Amino acid sequence: MATGQIPKERKQSRFELAAWSDWLLPKLTLIPSLIAVGVFIYGFLGWTIWLSFTNSTILPSNHFAGLIQYEAMFSLDTWHVSLLNLLIFGALYIGVSLGLGLLLAILLDQKIRAVGLLRTIYLYPMALSMVVTGVVWKWMLNPSMGVQHVVRSWGWGSFSFDWLIQPDMAIYAVAVAAVWQASGFVMTLFLAGLRNIDDSIIKAAQLDGASLPRAYLKIIIPSLQPVLFSAVALLVQLSIKSFALIMAMTGGGPGYSTWMPAIFMYEYGFNRGQIALGAAAASLMMLVIAVVILPMWISEFRQKRNARNG
């Protein structure tokens, strides 16, 4: 054997060591993040669920109390108002955001000029925090300094637009602000989906005599189902977790007319010393999100699997 020549067995050993290192090192780098996620996300989720079955008040207690917190929660008028507000807000927020976002995406998909500028303008509200959005809309809807004040200063003295201080209308004012912020983002999702559709499909439909609106209704919009699933899943989460926008706009008022489950959880868990009651509300919120989103994810996963399998 010549000097400096590496034996074949040694080369094989080095190759196996390098392959083993390539396999092991990425997994080792994931361990700290997996531990952090397991402790600080799933660990605290489990602890929150456990607290909801205890009699904890100001400080956590490990005394098992069964479903007493859930029974107490459903006996409270504030919880009933929170659920009703969630239904109203969720229906408006999700429905209008999807409709408006899809309409804007279809308009921008018509090869118009300055589409990049318009897309940025529509998407800009999503770049703002919920607190900033809430404060701006609070000023706009404030009867003494917002839209009502400006219109009356123009001479329409009987004009009234005071939703923010009306207990029956305040939740609609919050929904308007939320729709304003989310519609541009939904539009971007739909526009990305539209841009991925082959133009030849539309041309083939038009050659068969279908008008452009009919082609959108029968062919293009149904093909956006994966984008629709993603948008709905995102909006459902945001509507159930709505907190910062409401606190910035109304603080939950007038009275508790704009309370939502997240506000209920915060008020009882942190301000009224009822940790277990707040944990029960948080647990129900998690359960609702899982019930709504998991079937959609499973359906989408099955569709992708079926598409791969032909």
Side-chain angles (χ1 to χ4, degrees):
M1 183 177 66
T3 304
Q5 184 177 2
I6 301 175
K8 184 177 180 181
E9 293 78 9
R10 196 172 175 183
K11 283 185 177 179
Q12 181 68 23
S13 177
R14 286 184 178 180
F15 176 76
E16 291 177 354
L17 180 61
W20 185 76
S21 299
D22 292 341
W23 176 83
L24 181 62
L25 285 177
K27 294 176 174 56
L28 289 177
T29 57
L30 286 176
I31 289 177
S33 60
L34 289 176
I35 293 175
V37 169
V39 172
F40 295 106
I41 296 181
Y42 294 103
F44 283 120
L45 283 178
W47 193 46
T48 300
I49 295 173
W50 164 248
L51 285 178
S52 70
F53 294 105
T54 68
N55 56 1
S56 301
T57 53
I58 296 177
L59 296 176
S61 168
N62 287 322
H63 178 72
F64 182 72
L67 297 174
I68 188 172
Q69 301 299 339
Y70 292 91
E71 294 173 358
M73 184 172 63
F74 278 96
S75 68
L76 293 172
D77 185 55
T78 49
W79 178 248
H80 294 160
V81 172
S82 300
L83 289 181
L84 179 61
N85 284 338
L86 177 60
L87 290 176
I88 297 172
F89 176 84
L92 292 173
Y93 179 57
I94 297 172
V96 178
S97 295
L98 288 175
L100 191 57
L102 179 59
L103 178 62
L104 290 173
I106 292 174
L107 293 176
L108 290 183
D109 193 44
Q110 305 308 308
K111 308 296 187 297
I112 62 175
R113 291 183 178 179
V115 63
L117 176 62
L118 292 174
R119 185 171 53 200
T120 302
I121 291 174
Y122 290 136
L123 187 59
Y124 180 72
M126 198 63 187
L128 301 176
S129 73
M130 286 288 187
V131 174
V132 173
T133 300
V135 171
V136 170
W137 277 90
K138 181 180 180 180
W139 290 343
M140 291 174 59
L141 299 178
N142 189 323
S144 61
M145 59 186 296
V147 175
Q148 177 176 300
H149 174 74
V150 171
V151 174
R152 286 186 177 183
S153 68
W154 290 343
W156 285 282
S158 61
F159 179 80
S160 178
F161 190 56
D162 55 355
W163 288 8
L164 208 57
I165 60 173
Q166 297 295 332
D168 295 336
M169 299 301 295
I171 190 63
Y172 297 98
V174 176
V176 170
V179 168
W180 175 81
Q181 186 173 45
S183 295
F185 179 68
V186 176
M187 176 272 296
T188 304
L189 294 178
F190 279 124
L191 185 59
L194 289 172
R195 294 293 167 84
N196 287 328
I197 296 176
D198 193 347
D199 290 340
S200 61
I201 298 176
I202 303 176
K203 292 177 181 177
Q206 290 177 325
L207 288 175
D208 288 339
S211 62
L212 187 59
R214 186 175 178 82
Y216 269 98
L217 287 175
K218 298 295 183 181
I219 300 174
I220 299 174
I221 293 178
S223 65
L224 293 175
Q225 191 176 16
V227 179
L228 179 64
F229 279 163
S230 301
V232 171
L234 181 64
L235 293 175
V236 166
Q237 292 183 64
L238 292 176
S239 62
I240 293 176
K241 296 187 300 184
S242 293
F243 178 80
L245 179 66
I246 300 172
M247 294 300 290
M249 283 189 71
T250 66
Y256 53 86
S257 61
T258 54
W259 274 31
M260 298 256 282
I263 305 292
F264 179 95
M265 181 273 295
Y266 172 77
E267 285 290 334
Y268 281 93
F270 296 97
N271 289 341
R272 304 191 184 192
Q274 298 292 329
I275 291 178
L277 197 58
S283 300
L284 272 185
M285 290 167 60
M286 288 188 290
L287 178 63
V288 171
I289 290 175
V291 167
V292 172
I293 292 178
L294 279 181
M296 299 174 63
W297 280 349
I298 293 173
S299 175
E300 187 175 4
F301 172 77
R302 287 179 176 174
Q303 288 182 358
K304 289 181 178 178
R305 185 184 60 184
N306 294 335
R308 284 198 301 269
N309 296 333

